[in-house]
Amino acid sequence: MEAILLVGGQGTRLRPLTLNTPKPLLPTAGVPFLAHQLARARSFGVRRIVFATSYRASMFAEAFGDGSAFGLSLEYMTEETPLGTGGAIRNAAQALTCGPDAPVLVLNGDILSGHDITEQVALHVSRGAALTLHLTEVDDPTRFGCVPTDEDGRVTAFLEKTPNPVTNRINAGCYVFTRSAIDAIPAGQVVSVERETFPGMIDAGELVLGYADRSYWLDVGTPAAFVQGSCDLVLGRMPSGALPGPCGEFLALPEARVSPRAKISGGTVVGPRAVVGADAVVRGSVLDADCVIESGATVAGSVVGAGARVSSGAVLRDAVIGDRAVIGAGNELLAGARVWPGVTLPPRAVRFSSDV
Ligand code: GTP
C-alpha cells in the first residue's frame, strides 16, 4: 500500500525548537520523530511513502534519502508555497502509482499512534468507503476536529476546533482515502481537509467512516506533548521499532557522559556527547546533542537544545531551551518558559534574608 505523509507545517507551537528543524525531524527518543512513524507504517505493510513537504523541505531527503535503509521507497513532493493539508495531499498524490479505486493511507507527521492501521484499512475496503478517519477520545476535544458518528460508524459531521464539541471523539490524524477522493480535491490551491474536504464530502453524501479505538495516541504539537511522547517511547508505553537501543528509566545516546551521582529518570533522553554532572536531577526530559547539565542543576519536563548549557543550581520545569543558550546559575524557568537559541541568561544571585 502507498501512503502520503504530511510534513510541511511550520510547527509554530514548538518554537524555538522548530526554527531550524521541522517538527517531524526533531530528535525524539534518539531518532528523528518520523523514524517512529516510518517503522510503524512499514510494520503494517506500507512500502511506498510520498512526503508532502514545504517548510525546510530539503531536510527530509537529507534525513531519509530514498528510504532503502528503512525498507521503504520514499518520494518527496514539495509545495512552492504551503497548500494547506488538502492541497498538500492533492499535490503529493501526483507521485502515487496506484489506481483510482485503491486505498491510500494519509498520515499527519506529528502523531504517535498505536492503532491498528490494517484494521482501519480493512474497514474502509469492506464498506466501500470514500474516506475512513481514525478517531480517538480525549478529555478536551476543543483543540481538535470533533467527529460524531451514527450507530453504523458513519461520520455525520466534522466540526474543526469547535468551542462546543458534541462528542469527545476527535480526528486522530490518520486517514484512508480512496484514491479517486484525493483526485477530487482541487489542484494547485490552498485547501484544508479539516475545514473544506471532510465537511464537503459529508455534505455531498459520500461514505465517510470513523474507525474509533482506544490505543495509545498523542499529538506531539506542543512542547509538553513533545516531551511526553519522547518519554513514553523510552519507557515503552508506546512501542517503536525505531528506538536506537535498549532503554530503561532513561536512554543515553553514544558518547553521552552521565555522572554516577546524577539522578536521571522518567524516560529522559541524554543526547549524543551530552554531559550530566554530579547531583544533577533530570526527570522526564529531552537533552539534545552536546548540551551540558552542570552539577546540582534540576531539569524536569523540559527540552534542552543542542549545545545548550544549564548551570549549577539552575532549575527548569516545563521549559524549552533553544540550541546553544546558556542558563546561568540560580535561574528558575517554569511553566512553559522558552529561551531562544544562543541567548545567555546571566547568573542570578540567590538572596538570603540577611542580604536585604
Ligand atoms: P503548528 O504551526 O504548531 O500548528 O504546527 P503545524 O504547522 O504542524 O500544523 P498542524 O499541526 O495543524 O498540521 C498537521 C499536519 O499537517 C502536520 O503534520 C503538518 O506538517 C502538516 N501540514 C500543515 N500544513 C501543511 C501544508 O501547508 N503543507 C504540507 N505539506 N503539510 C502541512
Side-chain angles (χ1 to χ4, degrees):
M1 189 168 56
E2 292 182 298
I4 293 173
L5 198 47
L6 289 171
V7 292
Q10 300 210 355
T12 49
R13 289 167 296 161
L14 275 177
R15 285 180 185 159
L17 302 173
T18 46
L19 290 175
N20 295 315
T21 307
K23 174 167 56 174
L25 295 182
L26 290 175
T28 313
V31 291
F33 179 80
L34 276 190
H36 302 290
Q37 274 191 327
L38 295 184
R40 193 145 182 95
R42 193 181 186 286
S43 75
F44 284 108
V46 175
R47 289 293 178 271
R48 189 160 181 283
I49 301 183
V50 183
F51 282 44
T53 62
S54 174
Y55 178 64
R56 300 204 175 266
S58 62
M59 292 180 74
F60 290 92
E62 284 160 21
F64 296 109
D66 67 0
S68 49
F70 303 86
L72 291 163
S73 158
L74 302 181
E75 295 282 334
Y76 302 89
M77 292 295 280
T78 301
E79 301 136 48
E80 291 300 313
T81 54
L83 291 175
T85 46
I89 294 169
R90 177 69 175 84
N91 187 59
Q94 296 175 84
L96 295 174
T97 60
C98 62
D101 298 329
V104 177
L105 188 68
V106 178
L107 300 157
N108 275 0
D110 53 0
I111 300 291
L112 274 181
S113 175
H115 82 288
D116 187 329
I117 292 174
T118 306
E119 271 190 22
Q120 184 184 354
V121 176
L123 174 71
H124 177 89
V125 172
S126 67
R127 298 270 305 269
L131 170 68
T132 301
L133 307 173
H134 176 218
L135 308 180
T136 191
E137 276 184 25
V138 294
D139 292 336
D140 175 14
T142 55
R143 292 189 299 117
F144 302 95
C146 167
V147 188
T149 54
D150 68 14
E151 61 281 4
D152 292 328
R154 188 175 186 133
V155 173
T156 53
F158 192 98
L159 310 161
E160 180 66 358
K161 298 191 178 82
T162 168
N164 302 308
V166 293
T167 166
N168 280 11
R169 279 201 181 155
I170 57 130
N171 167 23
C174 175
Y175 323 123
V176 183
F177 276 87
T178 296
R179 164 77 193 263
S180 55
I182 297 179
D183 293 338
I185 298 172
Q189 349 178 336
V190 177
V191 180
S192 157
V193 281
E194 298 87 351
R195 297 189 186 280
E196 296 166 75
T197 311
F198 297 160
M201 290 174 74
I202 295 162
D203 286 351
E206 294 189 54
L207 182 56
V208 178
L209 294 177
Y211 170 77
D213 83 333
R214 291 170 169 270
S215 57
Y216 179 98
W217 184 85
L218 188 69
D219 170 351
V220 301
T222 63
F226 173 71
V227 172
Q228 189 192 329
S230 181
C231 295
D232 286 347
L233 285 159
V234 171
L235 292 172
R237 292 180 185 146
M238 167 66 200
S240 169
L243 287 171
C247 309
E249 270 293 301
F250 68 95
L251 168 64
L253 291 164
E255 297 178 56
R257 284 187 287 139
V258 176
S259 163
R261 283 177 46 201
K263 292 194 186 64
I264 308 195
S265 61
T268 293
V269 178
V270 186
R273 302 170 302 281
V275 177
V276 183
D279 301 319
V281 176
V282 185
R283 279 194 305 275
S285 292
V286 178
L287 310 182
D288 285 338
D290 302 295
C291 74
V292 177
I293 312 298
E294 290 186 357
S295 56
T298 300
V299 178
S302 298
V303 183
V304 180
R309 175 175 288 268
V310 181
S311 306
S312 275
V315 175
L316 307 182
R317 280 187 222 286
D318 304 324
V320 177
I321 309 302
D323 295 350
R324 302 173 314 283
V326 177
I327 310 302
N331 281 286
E332 227 181 317
L333 297 176
L334 310 174
R338 300 179 194 216
V339 176
W340 246 236
V343 167
T344 295
L345 298 186
R348 284 168 67 98
V350 179
R351 287 178 154 236
F352 297 100
S353 49
S354 57
D355 293 337
V356 183

